Amino acid sequence: MKIELNQTVRPERVLTGLPVSPGIATGTAWMSEGNQLQSPVYTLSRDLVEAELARFAEAQAAAIRQLKKLKGKAAALPPNAAEEVETLLDARIQMLGDSRLVRGVRQRITDYLINAEAAISDEIAILVEGFARMHDEYLSARADDIREIGDRLIRHLLGTPFEAFKHLPEGTILIAEDLSPADTMLLDPSRIAGIAGMLGGMDSHTAIVARSLGIPAVLGVSGLFDGVEAGDSVVIDGSAGRVVVNPQAETERDYARASASLEQDRVKLATLRHLPAVTADGVEISLHGNLERPRDVAAVYETGAAGIGLLRTEFLFMNRTTMPSEDEQYETLRDVVLGMGGRPVTVRTIDIGGDKLAPAVREHLGEPDSALNPALGVRGVRLSLAHVKLLEMQLAAILRAARHGPVRILLPLISCVDEVVSVRTVALRVLRRLKRRGLDVHDTVPPIGVMIEVPGAALSADALAMVSDFFSIGTNDLTMYTLAIDRDEDRLAKLYNPLHPAVLRLIQFTVEAGSRSNLPVAICGEIAGDARYTALLLGLGVRELSMAATSLPRVKQRVRSLNLAHATKVARSIMEQHDPARIGPLLDTLNAV
Ligand code: PEP
Ligand code: MG
């Protein structure tokens, strides 16, 4: 695929957003919307019509939700632009209500027994043709709206990524409205130089995956689609949260210099790879890597990580239409374990839900997406326990992979002791079954740990310690649930603050409970990978941090430069503060000493 360069001379324009993935990228804009989607066409048996109509209704509801969210964002634009965008979005929301389009699609599914994607494509084609015949400028603009709605609906139905991602050329800057974590997973960093998105928060999984791939990204950019056109030359400054459109020659030179200096830094930091993560006063700290795509295991190994502290297995279930079998899961995990060459691998059972969608799993289980409040719904361990076969299959794969190297099992979204006990019972049963099948497994179940990411779990840490082998604090969700702020919501990004005293107290409480029970306590949320927090976290007693491979060298540098006595003082001063707004600046001052 070739991207046409925009030849019109347009003035430089700077848009701002959240600096979610550091680094500088220069390239050519490619708009992820308006792309030709590939959708399947098939016929249905009559008894499947009701289910297909329900599937279409779900996509319709999801598209309306998304447009309403975008409408919320439009409020941040200058008044005139806001009004225009809102009117446009309202018209689209209306078309997704009880409209000719929706009625037509439903009728086609029922009368012609075809799948929803095919029904949408056919209905849109007829409507667009009708508009085109009228040779009216206003109506031809409506045809574009209708096409856009069709694409949006099909995207929701497919729940699968843009085919076109695969074919984008080197140096592409992806301009997206609402890039999903599953789509981000498919980006090839050798082609996609940078990302700018309208929606998404600092610790959204889209941001996490971009960071782990090392693709500079800015999310939550207001006015993105007014400011950039396909083919524009764009600079993404993922460290400052800037998107510079059509940069002038001087701006380009400045960014080229900044980029060269970042590269020098990176090369320097890479030399720390073989050095131990030991503080200046001799305390050893375990620095682990987080892993989303199993094929990136070598990148974690290369950083000299002590192990994998968080393998987000839910990503194995995305971007596919069928469930992975036990054997497929086993083979993938085995390769990760072997790839780490004897260093421990912490495998988290699937954490689908919230912003991590895996339509194939939900469909297979007959589980609808919790429409009202997905973050509080059937996600994480709740989904696994509600569908024990799914859990059994995953545990069987993990127990078999454990034969190839040290493995730990980690449970997401635990909120009570019973859940841990139940998983342990299932694990023992699965182990017995595997032995009966004559498979090569250890005699015991690997250590089972829990994510502390729900405030209730942090406050029950004493009780959870009695049934767990280790804790891993998930500060991304812990911050979200403690402060009641969606981690995906860019408009509340300023309030989403892991340094809020309430979050820090829950971390402290957990670390103390762990220490009373001699339980290792790690942090695997995004603060673990930010060197700004290292002194504070070590000062609170944490001795294991797990982070994106790309963050590990800088955190190691910080560990090696600090003294634990100083870190303890930093933690004490921070814990005495009550005002969330003052904690960040105070931490920066203490870090500078
Ligand atoms: C967390 O919540 O901090 C965490 C590590 O899990 P995830 O980001 O996958 O929700
Ligand atoms: Mg989490």
Side-chain angles (χ1 to χ4, degrees):
M1 188 190 287
K2 207 167 143 264
I3 297 185
E4 288 297 324
L5 210 62
N6 201 341
Q7 302 288 359
T8 357
V9 181
R10 295 172 62 221
E12 176 175 306
R13 191 161 176 200
V14 181
L15 305 166
T16 54
L18 301 171
V20 305
S21 180
I24 291 164
T26 309
T28 310
W30 185 82
M31 324 294 279
S32 72
E33 270 66 35
N35 178 39
Q36 275 303 311
L37 289 166
Q38 293 201 325
S39 60
V41 178
Y42 49 85
T43 47
L44 309 165
S45 56
R46 193 153 293 283
D47 59 328
L48 287 179
V49 166
E50 272 311 306
E52 195 63 8
L53 289 172
R55 201 174 147 250
F56 172 59
E58 254 189 57
Q60 192 189 347
I64 292 176
R65 268 203 308 279
Q66 199 178 42
L67 286 170
K68 285 189 173 161
K69 216 165 147 191
L70 284 170
K71 206 177 137 192
K73 268 207 76 72
L77 294 172
N80 278 351
E83 205 174 307
E84 194 164 319
V85 172
E86 278 171 10
T87 314
L88 210 79
L89 292 172
D90 273 337
R92 290 180 184 184
I93 292 169
Q94 231 171 17
M95 284 190 228
L96 282 164
D98 182 26
S99 61
R100 149 88 208 263
L101 166 68
V102 169
R103 284 193 302 275
V105 172
R106 292 177 60 85
Q107 196 166 2
R108 279 172 194 280
I109 296 174
T110 318
D111 294 353
Y112 304 135
L113 303 177
I114 51 173
N115 62 314
E117 292 91 335
I120 293 169
S121 300
D122 292 353
E123 188 63 25
I124 297 279
I126 302 270
L127 288 171
V128 168
E129 199 188 304
F131 283 148
R133 255 189 268 118
M134 293 182 201
H135 302 296
D136 178 291
E137 211 174 293
Y138 174 80
L139 289 176
S140 73
R142 298 289 72 75
D144 287 346
D145 286 350
I146 289 201
R147 260 193 226 103
E148 196 278 334
I149 286 176
D151 284 354
R152 190 179 290 276
L153 280 168
I154 291 175
R155 276 203 301 272
H156 283 292
L157 279 166
L158 289 172
T160 52
F162 299 103
E163 258 301 296
F165 280 180
K166 278 196 219 142
H167 310 293
L168 290 173
E170 259 178 54
T172 297
I173 302 288
L174 186 65
I175 308 290
E177 187 183 89
D178 188 9
L179 191 64
S180 73
D183 285 359
T184 315
M185 276 274 287
L186 294 171
L187 301 181
D188 172 358
S190 70
R191 291 164 181 272
I192 309 295
I195 301 169
M198 257 179 92
L199 301 176
M202 231 15 230
D203 286 347
S204 61
H205 287 92
T206 299
I208 289 174
V209 176
R211 273 199 285 278
S212 109
L213 296 178
I215 303 179
V218 183
L219 297 182
V221 185
S222 289
L224 184 63
F225 278 78
D226 296 329
V228 191
E229 280 179 19
D232 276 349
S233 155
V234 176
V235 176
I236 299 286
D237 181 347
S239 312
R242 283 163 192 261
V243 177
V244 186
V245 188
N246 299 312
Q248 288 181 351
E250 200 186 327
T251 313
E252 271 184 341
R253 272 195 300 277
D254 287 349
Y255 273 115
R257 266 196 300 274
S259 178
S261 132
L262 282 178
E263 179 55 19
Q264 264 175 4
D265 245 27
R266 198 191 61 74
V267 171
K268 213 162 87 196
L269 283 172
T271 59
L272 297 178
R273 192 181 141 213
H274 298 294
L275 298 177
V278 177
T279 61
D281 47 348
V283 179
E284 202 171 324
I285 308 299
S286 273
L287 300 185
H288 290 244
N290 290 353
L291 187 66
E292 287 76 39
R293 303 195 309 183
R295 66 174 185 271
D296 295 333
V297 61
V300 179
Y301 184 86
E302 287 299 308
T303 60
I308 287 176
L310 170 62
L311 171 54
R312 289 182 163 102
T313 57
E314 52 276 13
F315 284 93
L316 310 181
F317 293 75
M318 293 180 188
N319 299 319
R320 51 187 301 151
T321 49
T322 55
M323 295 279 283
S325 65
E326 178 194 311
D327 280 349
E328 184 184 339
Q329 291 186 53
Y330 156 66
E331 281 157 22
T332 308
L333 296 176
R334 176 200 59 201
D335 291 350
V336 173
V337 172
L338 291 174
M340 286 308 288
R343 303 180 202 169
V345 175
T346 308
V347 184
R348 185 173 72 179
T349 56
I350 56 170
D351 183 19
I352 285 164
D355 63 336
K356 287 178 286 194
L357 300 177
V361 179
R362 295 244 175 227
E363 215 165 291
H364 175 81
L365 302 175
E367 270 282 351
D369 275 322
S370 317
L372 277 181
N373 223 329
L376 303 180
V378 186
R379 69 167 276 203
V381 79
R382 300 168 188 174
L383 185 79
S384 298
L385 285 170
H387 300 275
V388 172
K389 286 224 155 16
L390 173 79
L391 178 64
E392 286 176 345
M393 193 155 60
Q394 189 170 31
L395 288 174
I398 299 173
L399 294 177
R400 288 170 63 190
R403 201 69 185 118
H404 302 280
V407 161
R408 304 194 298 179
I409 298 172
L410 180 58
L411 310 177
L413 214 79
I414 289 289
S415 58
C416 61
V417 166
D418 271 4
E419 290 165 330
V420 190
V421 175
S422 302
V423 175
R424 213 177 264 286
T425 309
V426 177
L428 283 167
R429 186 167 71 227
V430 170
L431 184 68
R432 279 196 300 273
R433 263 190 222 153
L434 290 173
K435 286 189 168 191
R436 277 203 300 274
R437 278 164 61 193
L439 289 162
D440 183 20
V441 284
H442 286 301
D443 287 334
T444 50
V445 168
I448 297 184
V450 306
M451 293 282 297
I452 302 289
E453 51 186 349
V454 173
L459 293 169
S460 320
D462 288 280
L464 286 168
M466 289 195 262
V467 293
S468 315
D469 298 311
F470 65 97
F471 286 157
S472 192
I473 307 178
T475 47
N476 309 335
D477 279 324
L478 189 60
T479 306
M480 165 164 95
Y481 292 123
T482 305
L483 305 179
I485 295 169
D486 194 333
R487 58 198 267 190
D488 236 9
E489 181 51 86
D490 50 281
R491 286 177 301 159
L492 296 176
K494 281 209 176 74
L495 289 175
Y496 176 91
N497 179 9
L499 287 177
H500 190 293
V503 181
L504 295 179
R505 284 175 198 174
L506 291 172
I507 296 175
Q508 187 179 39
F509 196 87
T510 306
V511 173
E512 286 171 2
S515 139
R516 277 194 297 276
S517 301
N518 261 332
L519 219 65
V521 180
I523 295 191
C524 63
E526 291 301 289
I527 61 170
D530 189 337
R532 184 187 183 213
Y533 296 93
T534 311
L536 169 62
L537 301 179
L538 300 194
L540 286 174
V542 178
R543 295 291 177 266
E544 184 182 323
L545 299 170
S546 190
M547 66 205 79
T550 45
S551 307
L552 203 139
R554 193 167 294 286
V555 172
K556 189 189 266 190
Q557 183 191 45
R558 180 72 186 120
V559 166
R560 291 176 58 81
S561 73
L562 66 77
N563 188 300
L564 215 52
H566 171 66
T568 312
K569 254 194 238 153
V570 169
R572 205 171 299 134
S573 310
I574 295 291
M575 295 311 288
E576 279 165 8
Q577 293 295 321
H578 303 289
D579 180 359
R582 291 193 51 204
I583 292 185
L586 176 65
L587 183 60
D588 293 335
T589 314
L590 292 167
N591 275 336
V593 178

